[in-house]
Amino acid sequence: MSDTLAATRPLAPAIEPAVPPRPERLVSLDVFRGATVAAMLLVNNPGTWSAVYDPLEHAAWHGWTPTDLIFPFFLFIVGVSMAFSLLPRLEAGDAPGRLFARAAKRSAILVLLGLLLTAFPYYNLDLAHLRLPGVLQRIGLAFLLASAVVLFTRHRAQIGITAALLLGYWAAMMLVSVPGYGAGDLGKDGNLAAYVDRAVLGTDHLWKSAKTWDPEGLLSTLPAVATVLLGVFAGRWMRSPRSPADRLVGLFLAGTAAVTLGWMWNEVFPINKALWTSSYVLLTAGLALHALAVCYWMVDVRGWRRWAGPFVWFGMNAIAAFFLSGIVARLLGMIKPGGVALKQRIFDTAFDSWLPAHDASLAFALCFVALFTGLMGLMYRRQLFIKV
């Protein structure tokens, strides 16, 4: 549009304010985000939870599996995206307070969506027993807190805050005594994060499968903020006026350093997704840097984009894909023709009747992802993007 206007009007006067150039859009970031969301749908929707391949399950407690990379990858991507959205506006002179107000609105919408998804379809649910933490709630809170850091502090201070979050969380988890358990207990019930969740939220508002702790609890959201901030640093690097080769080398070197530090920290503060330990933050951020580098090289440097179309569809409607998939999954379990859940009937008839149990469960999950790939493709073709 600007080119057309320029061709039909006289030259602008010299006093007209310059319009800052639009920030570079990384298609590879959309691909990375979309692949992460697609993986999230895959692991969240097996045909049956009694037959799931080990890599598609979370680690029982300490340790990690490929599934444990998905959520931190998404938060890391949130941080990279912030560098391409918030920072250009800040540099163009937008007031930090105004930008933070927008971030607070987005955060509130994410938290509300998370609560609606948790309660669906029982909106007459006793609020005294509604789970308050959740995936979307953590994304919203981590985004809000990271936005405050990015908007109101300088780059060096942001590095210091990230380090303080990781070191402070480690110190608190290892040194603060929990009544009845003592200090340094990293068990499911005896750790400080679980104690804080019980004390602040009460057991009626925690993850029902655990009842005494929550994998998206309050205290463990603080190191999740560090995950977002590490993504912001990666985004700053990608926005810098460096050659593609320099960007790639920097991503790989930083990723390798983070993975190494994460493994070293694991010796005294075990890698644990449910606790979102500091070692887990560094390990997953390092692997996310490597994954981003690979996507950047393939998609933006080499220009190999034909294969990546479906991931772009998911990446451009990430929150919609996650929210709608949660609704559909819930409905498949609730609709019971003949007294049998629709999901169970589909699984038994179309998959479990002729495939081994684990393969049948995986095949159902793949078909679920394929269904949403088609939906996201339709939305993309119609330019229907649901933004929060």
Side-chain angles (χ1 to χ4, degrees):
M1 180 180 294
S2 60
D3 291 339
T4 302
L5 291 174
T8 58
R9 71 183 181 183
L11 293 175
I15 60 173
E16 183 176 343
V19 177
R22 292 186 64 181
E24 175 188 0
R25 182 174 188 88
L26 293 179
V27 178
S28 54
L29 186 59
D30 293 326
V31 173
F32 188 17
R33 185 190 300 109
T36 301
V37 173
M40 194 177 295
L41 268 60
L42 180 70
V43 302
N44 284 349
N45 297 281
T48 173
W49 288 104
S50 63
V52 179
Y53 284 109
D54 290 343
L56 301 179
E57 289 195 287
H58 292 291
W61 192 242
H62 295 325
W64 64 283
T65 71
T67 298
D68 293 316
L69 301 178
I70 296 172
F71 194 8
F73 274 20
F74 191 87
L75 285 179
F76 181 89
I77 293 166
V78 168
V80 179
S81 300
M82 286 171 59
F84 283 86
S85 58
L86 282 182
L87 291 181
R89 293 178 180 179
L90 194 62
E91 294 163 0
D94 282 14
R98 186 174 182 180
L99 293 174
F100 184 71
R102 294 177 183 173
K105 180 180 178 181
R106 294 181 66 187
S107 174
I109 293 173
L110 285 168
V111 171
L112 178 60
L113 287 175
L115 293 173
L116 290 175
L117 187 58
T118 299
F120 179 82
Y122 305 109
Y123 293 124
N124 60 344
L125 182 71
D126 178 9
L127 295 181
H129 296 85
L130 177 66
R131 182 194 177 199
L132 295 179
V135 171
L136 290 176
Q137 294 92 311
R138 169 159 288 183
I139 294 172
L141 290 174
F143 169 72
L144 179 67
L145 295 174
S147 296
V149 174
V150 170
L151 291 171
F152 297 110
T153 66
R154 296 183 180 276
H155 183 50
R156 286 188 178 181
Q158 293 164 22
I159 295 174
I161 290 170
T162 303
L165 286 170
L166 297 178
L167 293 169
Y169 185 65
W170 174 37
M173 292 290 284
M174 300 304 295
L175 299 178
V176 176
S177 180
V178 175
Y181 294 93
D185 189 327
L186 297 180
K188 293 183 178 180
D189 294 331
N191 68 82
L192 179 64
Y195 174 75
V196 169
D197 289 338
R198 292 194 297 269
V200 176
L201 301 177
T203 55
D204 288 334
H205 293 297
L206 302 181
W207 189 39
K208 301 307 179 186
S209 298
K211 297 183 179 179
T212 57
W213 57 275
D214 199 292
E216 282 83 45
L218 294 173
L219 188 62
S220 59
T221 296
L222 294 179
V225 175
T227 298
V228 178
L229 290 173
L230 290 171
V232 174
F233 300 150
R236 284 182 182 273
W237 177 260
M238 297 302 288
R239 288 186 66 234
S240 64
R242 292 181 171 86
S243 68
D246 287 342
R247 292 179 181 182
L248 286 167
V249 170
L251 290 176
F252 270 111
L253 289 178
T256 301
V259 169
T260 301
L261 288 173
W263 275 119
M264 294 172 61
W265 211 340
N266 175 61
E267 296 298 318
V268 293
F269 196 29
I271 292 167
N272 187 304
K273 178 199 176 287
L275 296 178
W276 214 276
T277 53
S278 305
S279 57
Y280 174 72
V281 171
L282 290 178
L283 172 75
T284 55
L287 294 176
L289 285 163
H290 287 166
L292 176 60
V294 171
C295 287
Y296 175 65
W297 179 76
M298 294 179 67
V299 176
D300 288 313
V301 177
R302 301 296 296 175
W304 298 338
R305 298 187 179 185
R306 186 171 300 177
W307 64 274
F311 297 125
V312 173
W313 304 343
F314 273 108
M316 295 291 287
N317 263 315
I319 297 299
F322 179 80
F323 184 82
L324 292 175
S325 67
I327 296 294
V328 171
R330 191 74 58 85
L331 289 174
L332 287 175
M334 290 184 54
I335 300 173
K336 297 182 178 180
V340 179
L342 182 57
K343 175 184 177 180
Q344 189 66 49
R345 189 176 293 275
I346 294 172
F347 175 68
D348 291 343
T349 303
F351 301 98
D352 199 38
S353 60
W354 62 284
L355 285 171
H358 282 74
D359 293 339
S361 185
L362 176 58
F364 179 94
L366 289 170
C367 287
F368 189 93
V369 174
L371 171 67
F372 271 86
T373 301
L375 176 60
M376 294 300 107
L378 179 62
M379 294 176 68
Y380 183 84
R381 285 191 292 273
R382 294 190 176 183
Q383 296 295 289
L384 179 58
F385 304 118
I386 301 175
K387 302 295 183 181
V388 176

